[in-house]
Amino acid sequence: MTMYDYDFFVIGAGSGGVRASRMASTYGAKVAIAEDYRVGGTCVIRGCVPKKLFVYASEYSAHFKDSAGFGWSSEAPTFDWKTLLGNKNTEIDRLEGAYGNTLDNHGVEVIRARGKMLDQHTIELTDADGPRTVTADKILIATGAWPSFPDIPGIEHAISSNEVFEFEELPKRITVVGGGYIAVEMAGIFNGLGVETALLYRGEEILRGFDLEIRAKLRDEMVKKGIDVRIHHNVTEIKQDGEQLMLTLSDGNEMATDCVMYATGREANTKNIGLEELGVNMKPNGEIIVDEYYKSSVDNIFAVGDVTGGMQLTPIAIKEGAALTATQFNDTPTFVNYDHIPTAIFSQPPIGTVGLSEEDAREKYGDDVQVYRSEYKSMKFTLSGRDERSLIKLLVDASTDKVIGAHMIGPDSAEIIQGIAIAMKVGATKAQFDDTVAVHPSSAEEFVLMK
Ligand code: NDP
């Protein structure tokens, strides 16, 4: 019989927290989860899910154009933002409800309050009725991360992607700052929905860390679609100029826009929740330092997901939450294997990738790296006339014949890369890829036909 109110208390009902609380309860623990906003976290409420719905919406403008080459004609289609927003909100409400029901069905108590650690086992919970305290044996911090902005004059005029999901109406012009996942995905959405879109990136090439050829290809395709992509550009000041905003750029030029959206990374939500006072070790940027079993420097306090840094991806947070609870509540020490993590960028065209980039592969394997590449026009675009080409790359370690990297930019690449990731996870060789019968006619078959 525990001497605390709960065996396990989770702060933050996002992807990691929800999975961990549900699993711990399944293993017989008495569990509660505190959330001061909506159940579902960044992914469900203002990230992956609504983003993907917006990507679908924005792709229709190109699909309508494509259809003409297949014989279709219709009135020029029009787009209504309020319809999309309303339908998106309905779907997110439904999903939030489903998350809440799952927690209820698993016997997890959901507490709508802000949690703060008072001591190693005591959590202060604050809601509209004021603060109260509860105690717990083990505590999980799963508070995620929040958009960060550089400290430049006028930054208060900028928004993050969070606000986009609540826009009353679409701006006529938007400038996106950053060259990571969110920047390229959001730029594609705005452009597809008819917003005049610019993307400013401070470095040499967007999507640092990914395969260089894929990065260059995406920029090329984004420019072809009409996005004003400017590399080596940053904003030094933002000023209100009547109805519009005026951006001072790093090259001294000015740029007028109606809205500026920053996607310059996210920082861990670890402020003002009592962690410093408890002596929980954190990196200088506030990310919680944990061991391979997600334990912090304080014995009964754990952390998973974005709040620990690393790859800020929903499936990672979910796997970490499951591993933590199997270790702590099911007597099965479990840790996550971070090799061969596939990921997709829902840019237009989308990217799917797993394993090493060509640059990283060459650094690790030197001259042993074999590069196979296939650049082609998707069959659909032959009749549609769309000027877009796809690129697939396979990287192989010649000394073992193992596939060590797979990259694709083109339609369906997010769907295709998942299967490739399974093959790589089990150590598939190039000979085994070649031995696999092609699915014809498809884009995916390129992966088994590269010579
Ligand atoms: P990223 O870390 O992916 O990208 C941040 C971008 O901002 C980089 O291009 C970076 O440039 C640039 N940047 C950073 N600081 C500044 C600054 N002071 N001034 C100008 N530019 C700056 O972060 P995001 O915000 O795009 O996304 C956060 C995380 O969310 C991602 O890392 C990803 O893990 C996750 N995510 C995943 C998605 C998916 O799975 N499809 C979708 C969306 C988000 P530089 O390269 O020079 O450092």
Side-chain angles (χ1 to χ4, degrees):
M1 186 70 186
T2 174
M3 58 190 284
Y4 302 104
D5 298 328
Y6 302 98
D7 300 313
F8 190 46
F9 196 95
V10 180
I11 303 182
S15 302
V18 166
R19 176 57 60 98
S21 56
R22 186 158 75 74
M23 295 303 293
S25 191
T26 309
Y27 297 136
K30 186 178 179 202
V31 185
I33 186 165
E35 172 59 56
D36 65 351
Y37 187 53
R38 299 177 64 182
V39 172
T42 297
C43 175
V44 175
I45 308 298
R46 43 179 136 64
C48 323
V49 177
K51 177 272 310 282
K52 184 115 189 245
L53 296 174
F54 282 7
V55 169
Y56 284 133
S58 64
E59 286 173 339
Y60 277 100
S61 51
H63 291 334
F64 285 127
K65 282 189 200 139
D66 287 344
S67 68
F70 291 91
W72 292 90
S73 62
S74 65
E75 303 273 302
T78 58
F79 170 69
D80 179 47
W81 169 255
K82 287 217 157 54
T83 302
L84 172 63
L85 195 69
N87 289 342
K88 181 273 287 181
N89 287 340
T90 304
E91 174 58 9
I92 300 307
D93 290 348
R94 186 191 69 77
L95 272 178
E96 184 186 12
Y99 265 64
N101 289 342
T102 305
L103 290 169
D104 285 348
N105 295 340
H106 284 82
V108 176
E109 187 184 344
V110 180
I111 301 173
R112 305 284 181 160
R114 183 168 176 78
K116 179 179 177 180
M117 301 297 307
L118 290 187
D119 66 37
Q120 208 177 326
H121 291 283
T122 310
I123 306 113
E124 180 185 71
L125 296 169
T126 306
D127 60 15
D129 297 330
R132 67 185 172 100
T133 57
V134 293
T135 59
D137 183 13
K138 293 173 180 169
I139 293 155
L140 173 64
I141 309 295
T143 47
W146 196 251
S148 69
F149 294 84
D151 186 15
I152 59 161
I155 195 68
E156 66 277 7
H157 298 298
I159 61 163
S160 72
S161 55
N162 289 352
E163 289 76 49
V164 173
F165 297 110
E166 304 301 334
F167 268 165
E168 289 279 312
E169 54 189 52
L170 278 179
K172 288 210 164 44
R173 296 170 297 178
I174 193 160
T175 300
V176 176
V177 182
Y181 277 86
I182 296 180
V184 299
E185 291 182 341
M186 282 291 172
I189 290 171
F190 292 126
N191 183 59
L193 295 180
V195 180
E196 198 183 304
T197 306
L199 182 145
L200 306 180
Y201 174 55
R202 64 181 178 181
E204 179 84 26
E205 188 55 275
I206 56 173
L207 290 178
R208 187 160 60 85
F210 291 86
D211 186 273
L212 189 54
E213 261 190 296
I214 299 283
R215 297 160 64 191
K217 180 103 196 124
L218 176 62
R219 178 156 63 94
D220 199 32
E221 295 296 338
M222 287 172 77
V223 170
K224 278 202 250 167
K225 287 179 196 304
I227 302 175
D228 175 10
V229 183
R230 303 190 196 180
I231 54 167
H232 294 306
H233 272 76
N234 209 345
V235 178
T236 55
E237 185 172 5
I238 307 169
K239 278 187 278 203
Q240 188 74 48
D241 176 27
E243 294 280 284
Q244 62 177 12
L245 296 172
M246 191 59 76
L247 312 179
T248 308
L249 305 183
S250 43
D251 62 5
N253 286 320
E254 291 203 319
M255 182 182 194
T257 189
D258 298 320
C259 181
V260 58
M261 192 205 94
Y262 270 72
T264 48
R266 299 188 158 230
E267 61 192 37
N269 275 328
T270 46
K271 290 200 185 94
N272 305 321
I273 50 174
L275 300 177
E276 295 96 340
E277 295 82 344
L278 270 180
V280 171
N281 282 346
M282 291 183 264
K283 297 179 205 159
N285 63 6
E287 290 165 359
I288 299 174
I289 299 170
V290 289
D291 68 12
E292 72 263 47
Y293 296 112
Y294 311 103
K295 186 185 283 190
S296 77
S297 54
V298 176
D299 211 38
N300 68 316
I301 298 181
F302 303 84
V304 296
D306 291 1
V307 78
T308 62
M311 291 183 92
Q312 296 178 327
L313 300 172
T314 292
I316 299 292
I318 291 174
K319 276 211 174 293
E320 290 177 352
L324 159 73
T325 45
T327 306
Q328 296 299 323
F329 299 102
N330 198 33
D331 215 12
T332 317
T334 308
F335 56 90
V336 176
N337 179 345
Y338 294 92
D339 289 341
H340 298 119
I341 293 170
T343 177
I345 303 169
F346 294 96
S347 46
Q348 296 178 41
I351 293 172
T353 177
V354 54
L356 300 176
S357 66
E358 182 177 343
E359 297 69 46
D360 289 346
R362 290 205 183 282
E363 206 172 304
K364 187 163 177 195
Y365 295 95
D367 291 342
D368 279 339
V369 178
Q370 291 174 336
V371 181
Y372 297 85
R373 61 192 301 291
S374 169
E375 193 171 352
Y376 59 94
K377 187 174 219 173
S378 274
M379 193 178 181
K380 188 173 172 187
F381 303 149
T382 54
L383 294 202
S384 80
R386 194 197 290 194
D387 177 22
E388 182 184 305
R389 291 178 71 75
S390 302
L391 173 64
I392 288 183
K393 284 178 78 172
L394 263 191
L395 305 166
V396 175
D397 170 14
S399 65
T400 59
D401 199 38
K402 279 200 174 149
V403 176
I404 52 174
H407 312 280
M408 174 173 182
I409 177 167
D412 304 320
S413 53
E415 306 295 335
I416 292 168
I417 209 68
Q418 184 71 77
I420 303 294
I422 299 171
M424 284 176 59
K425 190 89 186 166
V426 297
T429 60
K430 177 69 167 66
Q432 288 168 323
F433 270 63
D434 294 345
D435 199 32
T436 304
V437 174
V439 174
H440 185 72
S442 71
S443 299
E445 68 180 324
E446 294 296 323
F447 274 110
V448 298
L449 295 176
M450 279 192 276
K451 295 283 177 278

